[in-house]
Amino acid sequence: ALLKPTDRSGQPCHFRDFLLEKVLSKDDNDVWGGVDTIRFKVAHILQYFFTDFDAEMIPPPSTSSEVMENIEDPKYKDKISPDFIQQVEYVRTKIFEKCKPKRGYTA
């Protein structure tokens, strides 16, 4: 089963909001039971250098350990979850839309 992210009140939320509110929270009374100094510093640095970001959840490729161990083997391709393939394609499309190739510059 795929875990669904929730906000502080337990309501379903977008994965980006989950990261900001629960994982990268700088709140003294965060869900981890108080500020952990190293985690607080890491959260601060990540938010400083990456002021804007997108985040998407990708379901696991399979629940089968055999498929996971042999995921690169072409004979297992049809055993990979269609939801995984669909979400990877969606994320790939979003990345290419946001990241345009740099143009050369000549003076």
Side-chain angles (χ1 to χ4, degrees), residues 31-91:
V31 295
W32 302 106
V35 173
D36 171 12
T37 306
I38 294 173
R39 194 183 66 77
F40 179 82
K41 288 179 181 177
V42 169
H44 176 72
I45 289 167
L46 285 172
Q47 290 180 11
Y48 177 80
F49 286 104
F50 301 98
T51 56
D52 187 32
F53 65 92
D54 283 336
E56 296 292 335
M57 289 187 63
I58 298 177
S62 175
T63 56
S64 163
S65 59
E66 180 183 0
V67 173
M68 294 299 291
E69 289 169 7
N70 299 289
I71 198 162
E72 293 182 5
D73 187 331
K75 72 179 182 181
Y76 287 89
K77 185 175 182 176
D78 62 331
K79 294 180 171 55
I80 296 173
S81 162
D83 292 338
F84 171 79
I85 294 169
Q86 179 182 6
Q87 190 66 7
V88 167
E89 284 301 315
Y90 171 73
V91 170

Side-chain angles (χ1 to χ4, degrees), residues 93-103:
T93 301
K94 281 182 70 171
I95 290 170
F96 282 112
E97 286 173 357
K98 285 194 168 243
C99 300
K100 304 291 186 215
K102 293 185 178 183
R103 307 259 183 232

